[in-house]
Amino acid sequence: MRAALLRIGTLLISLVLASVVVFVVLRLLPGDSAGTSLGVGTTADQLEQLRSELGTDQPVVTQYVQWLGQVVRGDLGTSFVSRLPVADLITQKLPITVPLSLAAFVMAALVSVPLGVFAAVHRRGPVGVAVSAVSQLGVAVPVFWVGVLLVLVLALQARLLPAGGFPRTGWDDPAAAVRSLVLPVVTVAIAMSAVMVRYVRSATLDVLDQDHLRTARSLGYGRWHALARHGLRGAAVPVVSILGIELATSLLGAVVIENVFALPGLGTLLLDSVKARDLPVVQALVLGLTAVVLVTNALVDLAQRAIDPRLRLSKEVAA
Amino acid sequence: MTDLTTAVPAATGAAEPRPRRRARRLPPSLVVGAVLVGLVALVGLVSLVWTPYALDDTGDGARLAGPSAAHWGGTDRLGRDLLSQLMAGAGNALVVAVASMVVAGVLGVTVGVLAGATRRWVDVTLLSAVDLLIAFPTLLLAMLIVTVRGASLWSAVWAIGISGSAVIARVTRVNVARVLREDYVTAAHAAGTGWWGTVTRHVVPNVWPTLLVQLMLLGGGAVLAEASLSYLGLGAPPPQASWGRLLQEAQSTMLVQPWGAILPGVAIVVTVLGLNLLGDGIRERTDPNLRGDR
Amino acid sequence: MTALLSVDDLRVETSTGRTLLDGVSWSLDAGGRLGIVGESGSGKSLTALAVLGLLPEGMRATGRVLLDGTDLLTLPPRALGRVRGAQVAMVFQEPLTALDPLMTVGRQITGPLRLHRGLRGSAARDEAARLARLVHLTDTERILRSYPWQLSGGQRQRVALAMALACEPRVLLADEPTTALDVTVQAEVLDLLDDLVDRTGVALAFVSHDLPVVARVARDLVVMRDGRVVERTTVADALAGGEAAYTRDLVAAARAVTGLPTPTRTAPEDAR
């Protein structure tokens, strides 16, 4: 319990640090964001107005504290480009990005965990060899290329699924919405599976090498029974950590892949904002995505502590 | 009978019945990786002085043509030779990989050695910074930097290099700290070897193979990341050829000329696969504890 | 008298065709105490693993391993599973890694009880506590709730013994069970092992590189080298001067280092 609170404490500190980094990078690196965001032909008045709107005429620390205060209250500022509240912009996009990344994550996990375990147990068998070869190749494949190839074959040539876009009606027409998300989900899932299978396989191999598995077999447990009783728990520790990393990856994969499939989600919003130098939107999105990653990491740590008594008990002794 | 100690049958000078047969052969992944990387590097270097057509040469006007004797990779929607673009892309990928490795290597090793070989509070401070950096996705860091500095090759390199330095720093720190705890280092220290002497004589030779492996993997990651960024339009701007952008440009016309969307992807896969295999191969070659079947 | 367990012309080869064990034969009577001694790499541990069919992947055993006339090498996996733990059990060298770090000691001991004897719930827990007392563990309640890494080396090996003896096997293979322990603890565990063999009547095959240790618990002796049996004798005869030159070297070396018991000590029971 105490360790869990401690972990939540460090999570909060990391979140604050991340917000400092995002803030500092965007404000202090060379290039006045106010000037660049308005472009050429800006009058001094406009610039001045924007600066006071941004608060860039105030000391940096004051700016930061004000901004953080607003963020905590849920006020993410106003977009330079659309003049809409950033919070609203983000909320609009969530119904595309969240289902996309979660579905891809679940699909990848469902494929890679069993496949990785099987490939490790039969490491010299045809499946084991094929899995390690394909995944070695798979980690070298860029996710957007997978998307492009799937579009080429399944959408443009076979005409099975839409090549991109999202129905204007959104989730009011669930069938159309799902159809437009199938290829993006499969794309992200394929790219993630290549990485996950490798980790699951190597975590399982480590477990298979362990003496206590041999002990279990010497007591009469069969190969799979021993693995289920003693191995999976041990393999779960590294696997949980890779699942955590991959949950974050699926979100970032979604950011890239939305651009392949012209899906109006968070990724497209982020990219458009980066190109337009729409500072408030970039700031909010980067901080938000980073926060998701940091929270996931903290959850992974807590989950590992729950699985492995060594982490749980030794930390508590130390605390 | 509590004075029993291990009995050593010293009288027999018998050879170990199971001698460790160290493979004289190079690991296959090392060979394949080196060949692939060497190929890409060669093409990239050649592209600096010669490509079949100039990059902006729209030629005889055959647009979106398939592969032919004149244009081995076909042409794009402006009639430019795809093979020339791909070759120039190899040069670009090479620059990104090497520059990112340098940035990550210099930054990461410095931080890692400082953390592993100096005072405890330095270690703790640097490690928390490194942990935060590891959690911070490369893509997002790149987007932050691009927002401020604009899209360019160097924005991408800085983002990838800084991101990658976190892993290098952690690996360096772990290994430096481990080596410094070894008995022979303590012995060297007792014999009067100074801090710098210890680092150069004992730490560096022990750490560099691991670092080299990490740098190769980082290079592969850098090529992938740069391809993603330039695909998104955040990498090198148009006159510079980049595989990611070639792919993006070819996407809208790929039903007519699929090669434009396929070949750059193949080039990326070959390069990244080569660097990954090279990393694995170096690890197998230098790590005596690693079994070959991983 | 037919042997309880007999290993007959056992050969082990790697998939690359290297021979690791070459024609190993020995036998163990009911209630017998066999020591298998040899340097590291002589194949003595491999022999024990081959008996239970637990060779590392890529190794293949030929020959015969007869338990009461049944050849374990040709037994189908399911039937072999019923032999392991129930008829023939094994204790390994490193008790820390041989036990699952993520499972309490109690659950690890009740595992085979449930598997072979169908005991569950409080019956299994009571039996686990009895086994813990059998191997001279004190404060059994606390120990059964602990994880292996919370125990001392000696406690861990006692736990491993309790697991191995849980289903009253007829043969106990002990593979260097005291090598990883401190010298004082080593002596305690050897005494315990000696005592357990007396009380339960389990036949013991004790594998070690350490002749003085073997001499404390074993009566018969197999000396191995380079994957072959050099000599089959008794501990007493070996100490009195074995027939094979290699055995004499072993004895001389051990005596030079440790002061091995004098040849007059024949019965290992006296060692206590």
Side-chain angles (χ1 to χ4, degrees):
Chain A
M1 199 56 223
R2 197 165 155 184
L5 288 177
L6 205 68
R7 186 64 188 84
I8 292 169
T10 49
L11 169 64
L12 289 177
I13 294 172
S14 324
L15 284 174
V16 170
L17 284 177
S19 72
V20 172
V21 170
V22 171
F23 188 85
V24 166
V25 169
L26 287 179
R27 302 295 155 108
L28 295 189
L29 280 193
D32 182 345
S33 46
T36 48
S37 72
L38 289 177
V40 204
T42 316
T43 65
D45 273 359
Q46 279 176 310
L47 203 61
E48 210 45 53
Q49 194 204 333
L50 186 62
R51 284 207 177 118
S52 73
E53 204 176 296
L54 277 171
T56 38
D57 48 356
Q58 309 234 339
V60 178
V61 178
T62 318
Q63 289 179 40
Y64 172 74
V65 172
Q66 280 179 351
W67 173 64
L68 196 64
Q70 288 172 347
V71 168
V72 169
R73 272 178 273 125
D75 174 11
L76 300 176
T78 310
S79 159
F80 286 167
V81 177
S82 64
R83 294 276 151 196
L84 291 171
V86 175
D88 291 356
L89 282 177
I90 292 180
T91 321
Q92 279 170 22
K93 311 293 183 191
L94 288 180
I96 292 176
T97 307
V98 171
L100 167 56
S101 64
L102 281 186
F105 171 76
V106 170
M107 190 185 226
L110 287 181
V111 171
S112 358
V113 173
L115 201 59
V117 171
F118 191 85
V121 172
H122 298 280
R123 72 182 101 169
R124 292 183 213 281
V127 176
V129 173
V131 164
S132 50
V134 169
S135 68
Q136 172 84 42
L137 188 69
V139 291
V141 176
V143 57
F144 58 88
W145 193 48
V146 176
V148 168
L149 291 183
L150 286 180
V151 167
L152 181 61
V153 176
L154 294 179
L156 297 181
Q157 290 185 338
R159 298 188 173 276
L160 290 174
L161 291 159
F166 196 72
R168 251 174 218 295
T169 50
W171 285 96
D172 293 341
D173 183 356
V178 167
R179 266 173 64 80
S180 63
L181 283 182
V182 169
L183 277 187
V185 166
V186 171
T187 304
V188 179
I190 288 177
M192 286 169 65
S193 302
V195 178
M196 278 163 86
V197 149
R198 275 165 75 86
Y199 274 93
V200 173
R201 176 178 174 273
S202 119
T204 312
L205 277 181
D206 284 343
V207 168
L208 289 176
D209 277 350
Q210 279 171 8
D211 285 353
H212 63 76
L213 217 62
R214 189 176 62 185
T215 308
R217 300 203 58 206
S218 82
L219 291 171
Y221 286 97
R223 182 192 278 256
W224 286 101
H225 195 171
L227 190 63
R229 185 174 148 90
H230 296 282
L232 293 186
R233 229 172 130 85
V237 176
V239 167
V240 162
S241 107
I242 188 61
L243 287 181
I245 294 171
E246 288 299 300
L247 185 60
T249 311
S250 78
L251 200 58
L252 294 166
V255 166
V256 176
I257 231 59
E258 279 171 9
N259 288 285
V260 177
F261 290 93
L263 291 173
L266 287 183
T268 312
L269 176 65
L270 178 57
L271 188 65
D272 291 345
S273 308
V274 167
K275 285 179 176 163
R277 298 200 163 179
D278 193 345
L279 197 74
V281 182
V282 174
Q283 190 165 272
L285 275 175
V286 170
L287 189 62
L289 292 171
T290 311
V292 172
V293 174
L294 290 175
V295 169
T296 310
N297 286 355
L299 289 177
V300 163
D301 282 358
L302 291 176
Q304 290 184 326
R305 224 177 279 262
I307 297 170
D308 191 337
R310 282 170 297 185
L311 298 173
R312 193 165 64 229
L313 298 174
S314 59
K315 282 281 152 50
E316 267 166 23
V317 167
Chain B
M1 283 291 283
T2 54
D3 58 343
L4 280 179
T5 47
T6 309
V8 186
T12 65
E16 282 279 313
R18 276 190 283 168
R20 241 178 199 231
R21 203 179 295 166
R22 285 291 280 136
R24 290 273 168 266
R25 257 168 359 111
L26 292 171
S29 50
L30 185 68
V31 177
V32 176
V35 167
L36 293 182
V37 172
L39 201 71
V40 175
L42 188 69
V43 170
L45 288 176
V46 168
S47 78
L48 295 181
V49 291
W50 177 83
T51 49
Y53 294 84
L55 291 184
D56 52 0
D57 180 2
T58 52
D60 46 17
R63 295 175 185 179
L64 293 175
S68 63
H71 299 282
W72 289 7
T75 56
D76 69 4
R77 61 188 165 168
L78 299 176
R80 295 175 300 189
D81 180 52
L82 210 56
L83 186 66
S84 305
Q85 304 273 343
L86 284 175
M87 287 177 64
N92 180 63
L94 214 61
V95 170
V96 170
V98 172
S100 309
M101 284 185 204
V102 169
V103 171
V106 171
L107 214 59
V109 169
T110 311
V111 170
V113 169
L114 280 179
T118 53
R119 295 171 187 283
R120 175 133 179 82
W121 67 266
V122 180
D123 187 19
V124 172
T125 314
L126 288 176
L127 263 192
S128 5
V130 163
D131 280 346
L132 188 65
L133 192 56
I134 283 186
F136 207 95
T138 309
L139 193 66
L140 293 186
L141 186 64
M143 286 188 164
L144 278 185
I145 292 180
V146 169
T147 308
V148 177
R149 299 195 33 177
S152 78
L153 185 66
W154 297 108
S155 292
V157 165
W158 279 113
I160 297 164
I162 291 174
S163 264
S165 72
V167 177
I168 301 288
R170 193 182 265 181
V171 169
T172 311
R173 184 209 162 259
V174 167
N175 282 287
V176 167
R178 179 181 56 77
V179 172
L180 287 180
R181 274 197 307 270
E182 300 274 0
D183 288 345
Y184 63 84
V185 173
T186 315
H189 202 68
T193 314
W195 185 87
W196 181 247
T198 311
V199 168
T200 51
R201 206 169 321 154
H202 298 295
V203 177
V204 172
N206 271 290
V207 173
W208 77 263
T210 320
L211 275 184
L212 200 59
V213 170
Q214 286 303 323
L215 282 175
M216 288 302 150
L217 298 182
L218 186 99
V223 172
L224 265 184
E226 194 275 339
S228 294
L229 287 172
S230 57
Y231 176 83
L232 294 176
L234 305 178
Q240 275 169 289
S242 159
W243 290 333
R245 211 191 55 254
L246 284 180
L247 230 162
Q248 197 271 326
E249 286 170 359
Q251 196 183 337
S252 54
T253 55
M254 66 184 169
L255 197 54
V256 188
Q257 216 288 50
W259 296 106
I262 293 172
L263 292 179
V266 172
I268 296 168
V269 172
V270 165
T271 312
V272 178
L273 185 67
L275 284 163
N276 287 350
L277 286 174
L278 199 55
D280 288 352
I282 295 173
R283 176 162 32 200
E284 272 174 48
R285 183 81 184 143
T286 54
D287 186 349
N289 300 321
L290 198 81
R291 293 189 327 240
D293 58 0
R294 282 292 161 90
Chain C
M1 174 174 175
T2 48
L4 174 60
L5 176 70
S6 71
V7 171
D8 189 12
D9 194 26
L10 180 68
R11 296 172 60 91
V12 170
E13 286 178 353
T14 64
S15 49
T16 53
R18 222 140 48 85
T19 305
L20 301 177
L21 287 187
D22 190 2
V24 171
S25 303
W26 47 257
S27 64
L28 178 63
D29 296 334
R33 292 155 164 261
L34 176 72
I36 302 176
V37 73
E39 317 167 45
S40 52
S42 61
K44 54 195 190 309
S45 299
L46 215 52
T47 312
L49 290 175
V51 167
L52 273 184
L54 290 175
L55 289 173
E57 212 179 328
M59 291 187 194
R60 210 170 59 87
T62 51
R64 288 194 305 175
V65 174
L66 298 174
L67 178 73
D68 256 352
T70 312
D71 189 354
L72 298 185
L73 290 187
T74 57
L75 222 50
R78 200 168 276 271
L80 191 57
R82 281 193 292 271
V83 171
R84 290 179 186 151
Q87 308 272 330
V88 183
M90 188 155 176
V91 181
F92 297 92
Q93 174 169 351
E94 180 45 80
L96 180 59
T97 57
L99 298 173
D100 187 341
L102 304 184
M103 196 181 268
T104 59
V105 162
R107 277 201 62 201
Q108 296 193 56
I109 298 181
T110 52
L113 293 175
R114 177 176 182 155
L115 191 69
H116 296 295
R117 290 168 63 182
L119 293 180
R120 31 194 94 204
S122 61
R125 278 197 297 278
D126 291 347
E127 179 65 5
R130 187 189 70 80
L131 286 163
R133 285 192 296 274
L134 179 74
V135 294
H136 298 176
L137 282 168
T138 51
D139 199 1
T140 52
E141 280 296 307
R142 185 184 64 79
I143 286 185
L144 291 179
R145 267 183 288 120
S146 305
Y147 292 94
W149 38 272
Q150 293 173 317
L151 305 179
S152 71
Q155 286 172 325
R156 283 181 211 133
Q157 199 58 293
R158 286 167 203 267
V159 168
L161 271 170
M163 285 167 68
L165 296 176
C167 301
E168 290 162 8
R170 293 195 287 168
V171 179
L172 178 64
L173 304 169
D175 181 12
E176 306 253 12
T178 59
T179 307
L181 304 176
D182 290 344
V183 176
T184 46
V185 182
Q186 211 175 54
E188 287 170 22
V189 171
L190 282 175
D191 286 348
L192 172 67
L193 197 58
D194 202 19
D195 177 46
L196 287 173
V197 171
D198 274 352
R199 278 202 280 166
T200 61
V202 66
L204 175 72
F206 188 100
V207 174
S208 179
H209 68 283
D210 196 344
L211 188 57
V213 165
V214 173
R216 282 186 62 150
V217 289
R219 191 179 304 125
D220 297 317
L221 190 67
V222 169
V223 180
M224 289 188 66
R225 186 187 188 185
D226 294 357
R228 291 167 204 266
V229 172
V230 175
E231 185 174 5
R232 269 177 296 174
T233 171
T234 64
V235 170
D237 286 350
L239 294 187
E243 274 183 26
Y246 182 66
T247 309
R248 286 200 298 274
D249 285 346
L250 274 182
V251 172
R255 193 165 279 143
V257 179
T258 62
L260 199 69
T262 52
T264 52
R265 297 186 53 175
T266 53
E269 282 85 354
D270 298 349
R272 271 177 294 133

